[in-house]
Each structure stands twice: as C-alpha cells, then as structure tokens.
Amino acid sequence: MLNFHRATKSPFIVNPYPYFNYNPQTLNYAIFRKNGGILDKYTKIRYTNMLDAQLDAIYSAMKRIGYGDVQIMIGETGWPTQAEPGQAGVSPDYAASYINGLISKVSSGRGTPLMPGRRFETYIFALFNENLKPGPIAERNWGLFRPDFSPMYNALGIMKGQVGTTKHQANQHY
C-alpha cells in the first residue's frame, strides 16, 4: 500500500484519535492543554501532545520499512462533547480545547518532533452530531454542530450563536 502511495505521490491517510488513548492523568496532554509532557523512552523526545506522538509513531514505522518520504494526511480526528455519565474529559469545553489546539497545531507548519516543518492536511470528525446512531453516548456526539445547525462550541472564536447543550437538546432526536 505504501508503495502505491509513493508511486502515485498520494498521502497515506491515518485517523489519529487521542480520545481513544487518554486517561484522566493524560487528559491535558491529549487535548493540547499545558502539561509536563511525556518522555518517549526510545527516542528521548518529550512530547507535549498526544497527536504528535501518534503521528511520529506512524512515521517511525513507515520510515523503518523505507517509506519515510510518503506524506501523511489526517483523514479524521476529533473529540466528543458528551459521553457516559462520569466519564472524565468529555464536554463541549474539552472538545473545543482539542479542536482549537488541533487547528492551531496543523496550521502552524511546525510539524512534529520527528517531522519538523511538515504540514498535515487534516479533516475534523464530525460536522454534525448523529443523535440516532446506536452505541455509546460518545458515538453520537462528535459533531461541531447539532442537527439544527447550532454550534456545539465556539471553535477558534468563529462559531457564533448559542453554544453548548441543554439537557433537553442533548436528548432530542432530529
């Protein structure tokens, strides 16, 4: 597959989700908030956000098998605004921290510790909440917007209007 990407000069599309790997102790690290970082014992690099660590892990594996020149694209990533009761780190505020940090990170042109200066074309999951989707509560609440087009939170200060959810809105089906 990586040979195909090299030959066609197309990016390898990955879906890094720090949400699926965080715990209460690594929450700030996962959502781009100030933290002490985590030292990678193999590279001796101190990572200050989980996305960089995930992208560098992918790059390291690709480089090891001879494909370090293939570009990486983020096909989807995001953070839910609601989850099971009592789950730490899930709210519109936490989702806004992740999305705002993500946009700042990928638009900065800084790259990652192992890929300095690299830019990553990035797509946010998801545009809308999926209130009728089966499964855990979080699976229905990744959207930047509710189905009625009102924003879930104010991403980068550009999403105007009433943000957040009320108990009534969270339980509505559209």
Side-chain angles (χ1 to χ4, degrees):
M1 179 171 48
L2 291 171
N3 195 41
F4 168 81
H5 287 296
R6 176 184 282 151
T8 61
K9 297 182 179 13
S10 61
F12 179 54
I13 302 171
V14 299
N15 298 338
Y17 276 95
Y19 169 76
F20 291 114
N21 295 305
Y22 87 99
N23 61 48
Q25 293 75 37
T26 62
L27 178 60
N28 287 341
Y29 172 72
I31 62 172
F32 299 99
R33 287 186 179 172
K34 187 175 170 117
N35 66 86
I38 295 178
L39 182 67
D40 181 305
K41 66 181 179 180
Y42 300 104
T43 64
K44 306 300 184 220
I45 294 170
R46 179 164 299 278
Y47 286 93
T48 57
N49 69 79
M50 193 180 294
L51 183 71
D52 278 356
Q54 289 178 334
L55 291 172
D56 277 355
I58 294 163
Y59 171 73
S60 293
M62 291 169 60
K63 185 176 178 184
R64 183 175 178 137
I65 59 172
Y67 292 94
D69 60 312
V70 174
Q71 292 297 308
I72 296 171
M73 182 176 101
I74 299 173
E76 64 177 54
T77 189
W79 201 273
T81 55
Q82 188 179 359
E84 302 303 321
Q87 184 174 340
V90 181
S91 72
D93 184 53
Y94 290 116
S97 287
Y98 181 75
I99 295 301
N100 289 337
L102 170 72
I103 292 169
S104 177
K105 170 72 183 161
V106 300
S107 65
S108 72
R110 288 190 308 265
T112 69
L114 294 181
M115 296 178 283
R118 248 198 202 180
R119 292 188 176 272
F120 300 95
E121 186 172 340
T122 302
Y123 294 87
I124 296 171
F125 183 84
L127 188 56
F128 291 99
N129 279 344
E130 300 174 276
N131 297 52
L132 299 177
K133 187 176 183 179
I137 293 169
E139 285 300 313
R140 296 186 292 276
N141 291 284
W142 290 81
L144 295 171
F145 297 94
R146 293 181 196 87
D148 69 0
F149 296 97
S150 60
M152 288 302 301
Y153 49 86
N154 193 0
L156 292 180
I158 60 173
M159 293 168 64
K160 306 296 182 200
Q162 188 170 348
V163 296
T165 60
T166 64
K167 186 174 181 107
H168 174 72
Q169 289 168 320
N171 292 323
Q172 275 186 317
H173 297 289
Y174 296 91

